[in-house]
Amino acid sequence: MIRIDSVTKRYPDGTVAVDRLSLEIPDRSITVLVGPSGCGKTTTLRMINRMVEPSEGTILIDGVDIQKQPVNTLRRSMGYVIQNAGLFQHRTIIDNIATVPRLLGWSKDKARGRAAELMDRVGLDSSLARRYPYQLSGGQQQRVGVARALAADPPVLLMDEPFSAVDPVVRKGLQDELLRLQEELGKTIVFVTHDIDEAVKLGTMVAVMRTGGHLAQFAPPSELLSDPADSFVEDFLGADRGIRRLSFFSSAGLQLQTAPVVAVDASAERIAARGTADAPYVLVTDLDGRPLGWSRPQDLTPGEIAPERLLSYGRPFVAGRDSLRAALDGTVLSPTGWAVAVDDAGRVVGVVSQQVIGEAIREAHAEAPRAAKVAG
Ligand code: ADP
């Protein structure tokens, strides 16, 4: 555990960047420092690896004051990733990643072997190994930055706005990749961002900071969304707080209905299975169970089910894996007001109404105020 104990940083010009900050950063999880520009996030991160020395207070790692160990030993136990990756432009990708192992005295072959393994881990094709950083996209360069930080397998990873300079689509990919990587590696990650959505998505714990280096709230993301400590945190969280919180509730318990689901064969000449016809709409699937669209029951005449006459089935959610937010979104997008639930292979397992989801939301609020994060 990294323990920040009443730490203050006053720069020589008198700026108080961090003011009596105390935080306990748990092992093997992602702790995000978030807040507006200039609130002291980077200063806090850099005090952990002693690129900045605190004016007052102490930082302990597993109970040991970081001032009491040689700075090189400390930094070797911490990978550091920054915006724009900070790669060595005159070194190939493989040698960028092998930098720290080489500094630690590994042979060239062993260091490059490790670097190749890491390229694979972070999703970089081995054909990029001999390229130079300028020959890679921004997103690829960020992956190299992460691989380089992980090269010596440090227990701690410090990440300072690592994904801020790439476009939203690439950024989402990098975030998903970091979550996947973290499941495998279980590092203690301290992640700085000014983007609250990124904080909520990635953080096991989120520290919201405000200008002047004060801690406004330190809580798991679902708790931030349900119980912001004050109006500053509430404003910072922004709109749709309630809807966004639904990402933390699983769709697993939803009562799915299968009666309004009918399967037709490829030529739509045969209705293979028919549900009850008293529903206002039925969902038509192919014989594999993949959704085709919605129809009124009375329009379901064998031989006349033209796909272009079916209403769009919107965006299905994966039952049990996606969240209540994804399920609710499915009902909002659906012209019938019903969402389609599918399995991992995209086959329909049932349909669900807004009303049923509304009831599930009420139950979720009552039962699980601190629900675990789920996908979607
Ligand atoms: P953030 O990462 O949240 O944007 P920083 O930690 O970079 O915030 O900065 C916090 C405050 O400290 C800001 O007011 C910034 O201008 C100031 N600051 C940062 N570095 C220095 C420095 N080397 N000298 C003086 N002031 C600094």
Side-chain angles (χ1 to χ4, degrees):
M1 184 177 67
I2 302 173
R3 187 158 152 220
I4 298 177
D5 194 3
S6 198
V7 164
T8 294
K9 176 61 191 181
R10 209 174 293 106
Y11 283 109
D13 66 358
T15 306
V16 178
V18 176
D19 191 12
R20 284 163 295 166
L21 177 72
S22 293
L23 271 187
E24 292 194 350
I25 295 169
D27 284 342
R28 306 173 78 78
S29 58
I30 303 180
T31 298
V32 180
L33 309 180
V34 68
S37 179
C39 72
K41 305 178 295 291
T42 295
T43 300
T44 303
L45 193 76
R46 289 185 174 179
M47 286 194 287
I48 298 173
N49 68 3
R50 289 183 59 191
M51 286 169 72
V52 171
E53 298 287 1
S55 313
E56 286 158 33
T58 47
I59 298 178
L60 303 130
I61 297 185
D62 296 333
V64 179
D65 186 342
I66 60 171
Q67 295 293 334
K68 302 222 163 91
Q69 52 179 306
V71 78
N72 285 342
T73 315
L74 179 77
R75 289 196 193 144
R76 229 169 271 155
S77 69
M78 296 177 179
Y80 185 48
V81 188
I82 57 172
Q83 196 175 338
N84 295 320
L87 303 178
F88 302 117
Q89 295 300 324
H90 59 284
R91 280 192 203 161
T92 59
I93 298 310
I94 194 102
D95 285 339
N96 259 283
I97 300 172
T99 303
V100 177
R102 289 289 286 152
L103 284 174
L104 293 176
W106 296 25
S107 74
K108 204 165 201 170
D109 280 354
K110 188 175 167 207
R112 284 188 171 168
R114 168 76 178 151
E117 187 189 306
L118 278 161
M119 285 186 69
D120 187 46
R121 266 249 154 95
V122 302
L124 286 169
D125 195 88
S126 57
S127 65
L128 302 175
R130 303 273 162 223
R131 291 204 193 167
Y132 288 88
Y134 76 90
Q135 296 169 309
L136 265 54
S137 71
Q140 288 169 332
Q141 291 191 32
Q142 271 325 122
R143 285 171 199 261
V144 177
V146 173
R148 188 177 61 176
L150 291 170
D153 201 20
V156 175
L157 203 53
L158 306 179
M159 307 184 82
D160 194 352
E161 301 262 8
F163 309 147
S164 296
V166 294
D167 70 66
V169 175
V170 173
R171 186 172 193 176
K172 180 179 180 303
L174 290 168
Q175 291 167 345
D176 292 341
E177 193 76 14
L178 180 68
L179 288 172
R180 189 191 58 73
L181 207 61
Q182 171 66 354
E183 287 229 323
E184 276 174 30
L185 302 178
K187 300 289 177 191
T188 301
I189 299 178
V190 190
F191 190 106
V192 163
T193 180
H194 61 267
D195 177 350
I196 186 67
D197 288 322
E198 186 164 71
V200 165
K201 176 171 177 180
L202 297 180
T204 316
M205 292 291 288
V206 177
V208 183
M209 295 175 67
R210 71 167 97 217
T211 311
H214 300 282
L215 182 65
Q217 188 167 5
F218 187 47
S222 66
E223 193 181 321
L224 278 187
L225 289 166
S226 61
D227 299 302
D230 56 23
S231 58
F232 169 79
V233 179
E234 189 169 10
D235 287 348
F236 194 68
L237 284 165
D240 305 330
R241 190 156 61 77
I243 303 272
R244 283 153 64 203
R245 185 166 177 253
L246 295 180
S247 320
F248 295 92
F249 297 124
S250 168
S251 61
L254 282 176
Q255 291 284 331
L256 302 176
Q257 289 196 43
T258 51
V261 179
V262 302
V264 298
D265 69 9
S267 61
E269 281 179 356
R270 188 169 63 88
I271 294 179
R274 187 187 267 283
T276 52
D278 59 355
Y281 288 97
V282 291
L283 180 76
V284 181
T285 74
D286 65 17
L287 290 183
D288 274 344
R290 285 171 217 286
L292 296 173
W294 294 95
S295 170
R296 291 189 176 280
Q298 61 268 33
D299 296 337
L300 270 188
T301 313
E304 289 182 13
I305 305 168
E308 65 273 12
R309 284 175 51 196
L310 297 173
L311 291 172
S312 158
Y313 57 85
R315 191 167 59 177
F317 66 97
V318 181
R321 187 150 65 76
D322 284 344
S323 65
L324 281 184
R325 180 179 178 172
L328 180 65
D329 197 50
T331 68
V332 173
L333 288 171
S334 166
T336 64
W338 288 61
V340 176
V342 294
D343 61 16
D344 281 317
R347 286 179 301 246
V348 175
V349 291
V351 294
V352 63
S353 67
Q354 275 175 8
Q355 192 189 352
V356 167
I357 293 175
E359 282 159 20
I361 291 169
R362 277 191 292 282
E363 278 169 29
H365 280 309
E367 283 171 21
R370 291 183 194 187
K373 192 178 308 197
V374 293

